[in-house]
Amino acid sequence: MSTAFTTRTLEITTGTTETVADLTTDCATFLQEVADGRDGLLNIFVPHATAGIALLETGAGSDEDLLAALHDLLPADNRWRHRHGTPGHGRDHVLPALVPPHATLPVISGRLALGTWQSICLVDTNVDNPERTVRLSFLG
């Protein structure tokens, strides 16, 4: 069996508010173009110190619930030692320890093998950096 590795970057504008951005369609489109019906793995990576990748249900309130939970766990106040940018920005640098900057997902016959309600999301609480890069890599 031959294997191929293909990678592409997405440029995502998250804006000036905390965001959960659904990347599922972008990931599926990438696989349609490169997977050619093969089984393999899709890796999603955000090369930023203040953003992460999460699998969750979107559109039913879970995205807002996640942001609310992160506010409870990581308040945007001046308790953080990391102090530059918007007040409380130090919390954004702790985020990737809770919402990792990567996910690796199975691809079966060229398609994402997600559960019924799972979506691939970029989680960005950093309001100081509205432009994000996400790297998609397929190995199959």
Side-chain angles (χ1 to χ4, degrees):
M1 174 179 114
S2 68
T3 59
F5 179 80
T6 307
T7 189
R8 176 175 302 158
T9 57
L10 305 173
E11 301 302 323
I12 307 293
T13 300
T14 56
T16 57
T17 60
E18 296 179 359
T19 303
V20 175
D22 191 337
L23 304 176
T24 310
T25 299
D26 294 309
C27 293
T29 299
F30 170 67
L31 290 172
Q32 286 174 345
E33 295 170 7
V34 303
D36 196 31
R38 295 188 309 269
D39 292 354
L41 295 171
L42 174 67
N43 181 264
I44 306 100
F45 176 69
V46 56
H48 297 282
T50 58
I53 300 296
L55 295 181
L56 72 151
E57 179 181 7
T58 58
S62 295
D63 32 0
E64 292 89 359
D65 288 342
L66 174 59
L67 292 175
L70 290 172
H71 263 283
D72 290 344
L73 291 169
L74 305 170
D77 57 24
N78 64 0
R79 73 182 69 200
W80 307 101
R81 290 182 184 94
H82 186 107
R83 294 180 190 240
H84 69 83
T86 303
H89 173 65
R91 75 187 281 265
D92 301 324
H93 287 274
V94 176
L95 173 78
L98 301 175
V99 181
H102 59 86
T104 301
L105 305 171
V107 175
I108 307 299
S109 300
R111 299 177 60 131
L112 283 166
L114 292 172
T116 302
W117 303 112
Q118 289 180 317
S119 295
I120 304 163
C121 297
L122 169 66
V123 180
D124 186 5
T125 59
N126 182 358
V127 300
D128 295 334
N129 186 1
E131 302 298 325
R132 297 302 187 163
T133 299
V134 176
R135 179 168 298 281
L136 305 178
S137 300
F138 173 70
L139 177 64

